[in-house]
Amino acid sequence: MQVQQPKYTGLVADLLPNIRIMQAIGHFIFRYITGPILIRKLYSSVTLVLFLFQFVCILINLGANTDEVSELTANTITALFFTHCITKFIYVALNAEGVYRTMGIWNQSNTHPLFAESDARYHSIALSKMRRLLFLVTLTTCMIAVFWTTLTFFGDSTKLWKDKVANETIVVDIPRLMIKSWYPWNSMSGTFYYISLAFQLYYILFSMLQANLSDVLFCSWVLFCCEQLQHLKGIMRPLMELSATLDTYRPNSAALFRSISAGSKSELILNDEMENEKNSNYDMNISAIYSTKADWGAQYRAPTTLQNFNGMNGSNPNGLTKKQELMVRSAIKYWVERHKHVVRLVSAIGDTYGLALLLHMLTSTIMLTLLAYQATKIDGITVFALGVIGYLLYALAQIFLFCIFGNRLIEESSSVMEAAYSCHWYDGSEEAKTFVQIVCQQCQKAMTISGAKFFTVSLDLFASVLGACVTYFMVLVQLK
Amino acid sequence: MEEIETFKNFSHDLHQSLRNFKHFLSNFVTNLKSFLLKSNHVHSMFIAYNEFFKCEKILQLLGCTFLPTYLEIDLSLRKFHYKIACIGLLTNAIHGHISFVISGNALLRGDKNYVFMFLENLSVTGIFMTVLVKAFLLLFKHKNHLQIIIERIEQYFPKSGTDQVVFKTDKYLKLIKTFYFVLVVHYSEVLLQFCLIPFLHKFWGWYFSNDVQWEPILSLIYPFDQQQPIIYCMIYLLNFWLLMVLAFISSATDLLFASMTNVLSMEFDNLAQIISGIDWDDDDNHEEAEEKAIEKLKILINVHNDLCDIAQNLNNIFSPLLLINMVASICSLCIFAFLAASKVSNFFLIKYSAAFVGVFLQIYIHCYFGEQLTNSSNGVADGVYNSAWYKASPKFRKMAMMIMKRAQREQKIRAWKFANVNLNFFYWIVTTAHSYYSFLSGVYTH
């Protein structure tokens, strides 16, 4: 029985590795697969039950050790840490429809034969960046799990216990495990110790991967939007050149429509490197492969005769045929439609993932406050100090990850205006000039991702979190 | 009667002498001002582009040149010096880190004697790391980029004497010269203080018959005893050379940034002035005059684009450095203030207050010139508004509107996406450093 591998398009095809790993570690994502769904549902449910069991064990341990303040703080931090993971897990499960909808927005995108090459180029840049991000985050998470496990075997595995009878604090032995947790079996030694160890290792690795990979999904979406905006900025200049042929005499407009053989350098894209002001003569590369979704068809293949000034074509000074004129006007339409598509995608991302970011920030704020308190009790380079610093760096790194991508989106979307200004808009047609004006007006307001309207995801958020953390630390040290 | 006459004469003489005295005083003050600032009264003296980049001379000691006229000098020995200097800075930064960790560990375990060493190590490490990153990035990795930027800026520099008078180029030159003067003088003073204080301290101790040990310049933790003469001499010379290299690199790169930003903001101001001068008389041929004005405007739009692009490139090169610089500066400011006010000894006060002023000046230079660039790029919009747009057709007005819209989006120097480097940022740095200082003095109240 041959199972036809379905062809995925758009964002799903780009993010397929990410989706596959997420499905493998138990997220409730049941589309984009071949084969029986029931087994996968069973696997995800079992994963959910196991994670909830371990989380409840941690909470029971927290409840049982509330007398001693340092134990209480440490257990609360651990509980909050794993709250992230559970929250992300349940959020994706409940909001799977939103995820599918966001993935599906880019299934059908418009194309234009003149700009298809630039589109493909930026698409491949986005793809490689997404793959690299996924690889780095997965690798870092695995390394953190290994580091945590290794750290467990150093130092004393004890806890402080307040003896109510004698009213003093004594040191009690506990099993040498990664997380301090209650179990219904005795895990001090023997077989049950190894079972607990293996279970905790599985729990740590899979929880962290779940939380981080859903963040990576969000960041990949934002990355894709940024690269689309780069593409739009890059085709602004050829667009202006093209529209200038409509009503200004351009001596070499033939070059704009001629298809060049493969091997010539396409200068559709403006480089960001330092180079001097380019002169306006350059050739365009028209891809010979037209997208099937395009409504241009074969009628726009390169015409060879253009410079025809017999006055046959009415008001057009460059002697463009009707079809070429239509092609020029459609280029502007392509630009605007593509921009609106990106805006739709960004708002869908905000709607889907904004609440998850809000919950993340709430949990992180409380955890960072408690970590600031723990940090005041560091008295040397011990296992305790390394643990506190590790938690701190991990929490800040998680926030930094999505803040930096949110910031990049804001910067890219508000710099479209600069790209519009830097092409020779003053030589364009009246249509092009008003187009540039309206684009500039709209792009002054940057596209932002907000955490359910409470805050915008940008580096200002990260800086304020960092500042708050330092302030709490300073206040707590003075109170000590 | 005679008394009245003599009284009148007397008052007349008094008034005369007072007038003479006032005249004498004003002359004296003008002469003193011109002597101190070395300004040229002759305004038609031509200012070469190289005058704005006098920091080249310091950079040449490290084998770097950015201006084409200096390329003939043989720099291979100096490039070797630059490499040795970088290696020295790197090893000292690593040593500073190790020392910081050891003293921090000792401090956390409760030994309060390590407070000052810990704080000094922290600030020293921060400063060395900053300067190392600056030396590596600016003088090695981005050298070609900086050279290209300086060449591009030169294109728009006013090249004739009359142009320079109209655009007031000497005003900008005077500004950058005051900063050069102040920065160079202060850095050499700080260097001198740090290097003479060990001797002064020993002399003080000998004079008052206290037993004072030889102090090192930079108090890092060494595995061997520093009091033996030979070892002390070697470490002293090494630290002296490192501090000198640090002062050179730091001052030269800061002044390079200041010079480039200064010339760029001058060019933005010139552009604004040219645009605001677009005007025509009412009795000229209206269409012709407007055609000419539109052609001029097109050229000026290209110039504006180019200047904005240059400012972007400048920002891209300097912004990561500025973030590290500002973070290290906040640490250093609060630590130096704490050490200077800690009443340990008078020498601490002298040393660390001088170092405090040095760091203060450095961030001020960056923030001042960042603000100047922002204001100048904004001024282009004012220049467009000051032109005769109201006489022109809608075509001209639409172009003017586009230019204004672009110019109102200012060219900013950023500290790597976090904040804009302007005088508001300077205020924030100083207030943050002050809050950390009060925290430190609250924690260590002995």
Side-chain angles (χ1 to χ4, degrees), chain B residues 190-201 217 236 347:
Chain B
V190 170
L191 192 65
L192 212 63
Q193 279 184 3
F194 264 76
C195 299
L196 285 184
I197 292 238
F199 296 109
L200 286 177
H201 202 180
I217 299 180
Y236 182 88
F347 294 107

Side-chain angles (χ1 to χ4, degrees), chain A residues 7-271:
Chain A
K7 191 88 171 61
Y8 299 116
T9 55
L11 271 177
V12 182
D14 297 341
L15 289 169
L16 207 55
N18 197 350
I19 297 173
R20 289 280 178 249
I21 301 183
M22 281 173 82
Q23 287 171 337
I25 57 178
H27 265 290
F28 281 81
I29 297 183
F30 301 126
R31 272 201 206 169
Y32 323 120
I33 49 177
T34 56
I37 294 188
L38 195 61
I39 298 182
R40 288 180 188 268
K41 283 195 176 162
L42 205 61
Y43 175 63
S44 295
S45 316
V46 166
T47 318
L48 181 64
V49 165
L50 285 175
F51 283 9
L52 280 177
F53 165 69
Q54 175 66 67
F55 188 62
V56 164
C57 289
I58 294 176
L59 288 177
I60 293 177
N61 181 48
L62 170 69
N65 286 311
T66 48
D67 295 324
E68 176 59 40
V69 174
S70 51
E71 283 298 319
L72 178 63
T73 327
N75 288 337
T76 316
I77 292 175
T78 314
L80 286 170
F81 184 87
F82 288 105
T83 311
H84 271 144
C85 312
I86 296 280
T87 316
K88 290 263 159 71
F89 193 13
I90 298 181
Y91 185 85
V92 172
L94 293 177
N95 212 2
E97 283 306 314
V99 172
Y100 301 147
R101 199 188 53 215
T102 316
M103 294 281 202
I105 284 191
W106 208 267
N107 277 344
Q108 298 236 337
S109 64
N110 60 344
T111 57
H112 193 278
L114 288 174
F115 305 132
E117 196 263 353
S118 160
D119 193 8
R121 183 196 299 202
Y122 279 104
H123 188 224
S124 65
I125 292 177
L127 200 62
S128 66
K129 280 192 184 172
M130 286 196 250
R131 297 281 152 92
R132 207 173 343 145
L133 177 70
L134 178 67
F135 173 69
L136 281 174
V137 171
T138 323
L139 187 67
T140 317
T141 316
C142 295
M143 272 172 41
I144 290 176
V146 166
F147 171 72
W148 195 337
T149 318
T150 325
L151 199 64
T152 323
F153 293 102
F154 288 89
D156 307 320
S157 106
T158 55
K159 73 174 177 187
L160 299 168
W161 176 258
K162 197 151 189 170
D163 192 354
K164 291 228 177 63
V165 176
N167 206 21
E168 61 178 15
T169 316
I170 55 174
V171 173
V172 169
D173 273 341
I174 51 169
R176 191 177 275 275
L177 290 172
M178 279 85 83
I179 317 168
K180 290 183 187 160
S181 148
W182 172 86
Y183 284 115
W185 54 82
N186 177 17
S187 53
M188 273 307 282
S189 61
T191 332
F192 282 122
Y193 170 68
Y194 291 109
I195 293 177
S196 309
L197 193 67
F199 180 55
Q200 282 202 355
L201 183 62
Y202 156 78
Y203 179 66
I204 290 177
L205 187 63
F206 275 53
S207 295
M208 289 204 296
L209 272 179
Q210 277 190 352
N212 289 342
L213 284 180
S214 43
D215 280 341
V216 166
L217 190 67
F218 167 75
C219 295
S220 306
W221 287 336
V222 175
L223 195 63
F224 184 79
C225 294
C226 293
E227 293 302 323
Q228 284 298 318
L229 286 169
Q230 292 262 40
H231 160 61
L232 286 175
K233 285 197 297 191
I235 60 174
M236 186 70 92
R237 183 176 278 236
L239 193 60
M240 286 297 126
E241 274 291 322
L242 211 51
S243 80
T245 63
L246 276 182
D247 55 9
T248 332
Y249 170 58
R250 298 251 127 194
N252 46 4
S253 17
L256 294 172
F257 289 88
R258 196 177 53 212
S259 71
I260 314 285
S261 63
S264 76
K265 186 168 78 138
S266 161
E267 292 186 63
L268 277 175
I269 317 300
L270 276 179
N271 292 334

Side-chain angles (χ1 to χ4, degrees), chain B residues 143-368:
Chain B
K143 203 161 78 138
N144 291 334
H145 295 158
L146 283 172
Q147 220 160 353
I148 292 174
I149 290 181
I150 291 182
E151 276 169 24
R152 282 175 79 182
I153 299 180
E154 184 165 13
Q155 277 179 316
Y156 303 110
F157 186 74
K159 294 210 176 47
S160 71
T162 43
D163 275 346
Q164 289 189 351
V165 170
V166 167
F167 292 134
K168 301 196 187 61
T169 317
D170 53 342
K171 194 176 71 163
Y172 295 89
L173 187 65
K174 225 185 279 188
L175 180 70
I176 197 76
K177 276 199 169 157
T178 26
F179 273 102
Y180 272 12
F181 180 70
V182 170
L183 200 69
V184 166
V185 160
H186 189 81
Y187 271 31
S188 20
E189 186 218 341
V190 170
L191 192 65
L192 212 63
Q193 279 184 3
F194 264 76
C195 299
L196 285 184
I197 292 238
F199 296 109
L200 286 177
H201 202 180
K202 189 75 179 173
F203 175 74
W204 190 270
W206 170 81
Y207 189 69
F208 287 105
S209 317
N210 301 331
D211 192 23
V212 173
Q213 290 187 323
W214 282 104
E215 249 177 46
I217 299 180
L218 303 167
S219 51
L220 299 171
I221 296 181
Y222 291 95
F224 34 79
D225 179 27
Q226 282 187 67
Q227 295 304 313
Q228 297 170 30
I230 302 180
I231 295 182
Y232 182 77
C233 280
M234 271 172 38
I235 293 187
Y236 182 88
L237 288 171
L238 184 70
N239 282 348
F240 177 66
W241 173 68
L242 280 173
L243 273 186
M244 224 169 59
V245 160
L246 187 124
F248 282 164
I249 295 180
S250 183
S251 57
T253 48
D254 292 340
L255 290 172
L256 186 68
F257 169 78
S259 310
M260 288 203 284
T261 326
N262 194 30
V263 179
L264 200 57
S265 31
M266 179 181 80
E267 286 169 8
F268 270 112
D269 287 337
N270 295 351
L271 182 67
Q273 210 173 339
I274 296 174
I275 294 183
S276 61
I278 292 181
D279 199 350
W280 52 88
D281 295 329
D282 289 328
D283 48 356
D284 283 350
N285 183 356
H286 194 81
E287 280 83 26
E288 238 181 70
E290 200 178 296
E291 274 303 311
K292 272 198 258 177
I294 288 185
E295 286 310 309
K296 206 169 169 189
L297 208 60
K298 287 185 186 177
I299 298 175
L300 291 172
I301 289 174
N302 277 336
V303 172
H304 188 208
N305 256 329
D306 208 16
L307 286 178
C308 288
D309 194 39
I310 295 173
Q312 262 318 99
N313 292 341
L314 200 68
N315 179 38
N316 289 342
I317 293 179
F318 279 99
S319 64
L321 297 175
L322 282 174
L323 181 69
I324 299 176
N325 197 353
M326 298 306 162
V327 168
S329 301
I330 296 179
C331 289
S332 311
L333 276 180
C334 69
I335 289 174
F336 287 156
F338 174 69
L339 288 172
S342 64
K343 300 193 179 58
V344 168
S345 73
N346 288 334
F347 294 107
F348 260 42
L349 176 67
I350 301 171
K351 232 173 36 162
Y352 288 111
S353 40
F356 175 87
V357 175
V359 176
F360 201 79
L361 273 177
Q362 192 204 36
I363 23 176
Y364 184 71
I365 276 193
H366 286 295
C367 295
Y368 180 85

Side-chain angles (χ1 to χ4, degrees), chain A residues 274 414 418 421 426 437 441, chain B residues 302 304 313 401 405 409:
Chain A
M274 274 69 99
S414 54
E418 289 165 24
Y421 185 79
Y426 45 80
Q437 253 181 314
Q441 190 67 34
Chain B
N302 277 336
H304 188 208
N313 292 341
M401 193 165 79
K405 213 178 275 206
R409 224 178 120 77

Side-chain angles (χ1 to χ4, degrees), chain A residues 274 276 378-381 414 417-418 421-422 424-427 436-437 441 444 459 470 474 478, chain B residues 105 108 145 152 298 301-302 304-305 313 398-399 401-402 405-406 409 416-417 436 439 442-443:
Chain A
M274 274 69 99
N276 289 323
I378 291 182
D379 53 357
I381 301 186
S414 54
M417 187 255 193
E418 289 165 24
Y421 185 79
S422 69
H424 292 274
W425 51 271
Y426 45 80
D427 277 339
V436 168
Q437 253 181 314
Q441 190 67 34
Q444 276 181 335
L459 278 177
V470 172
M474 289 192 336
Q478 292 206 316
Chain B
N105 195 15
L108 287 170
H145 295 158
R152 282 175 79 182
K298 287 185 186 177
I301 289 174
N302 277 336
H304 188 208
N305 256 329
N313 292 341
K398 265 196 228 171
M399 288 173 80
M401 193 165 79
M402 282 294 293
K405 213 178 275 206
R406 176 65 178 101
R409 224 178 120 77
W416 198 65
K417 307 190 207 203
Y436 291 173
F439 157 70
V443 170

Side-chain angles (χ1 to χ4, degrees), chain B residues 373-388:
Chain B
L373 181 67
T374 306
N375 289 341
S376 301
S377 65
N378 234 344
V380 176
D382 294 336
V384 172
Y385 190 71
N386 291 336
S387 71

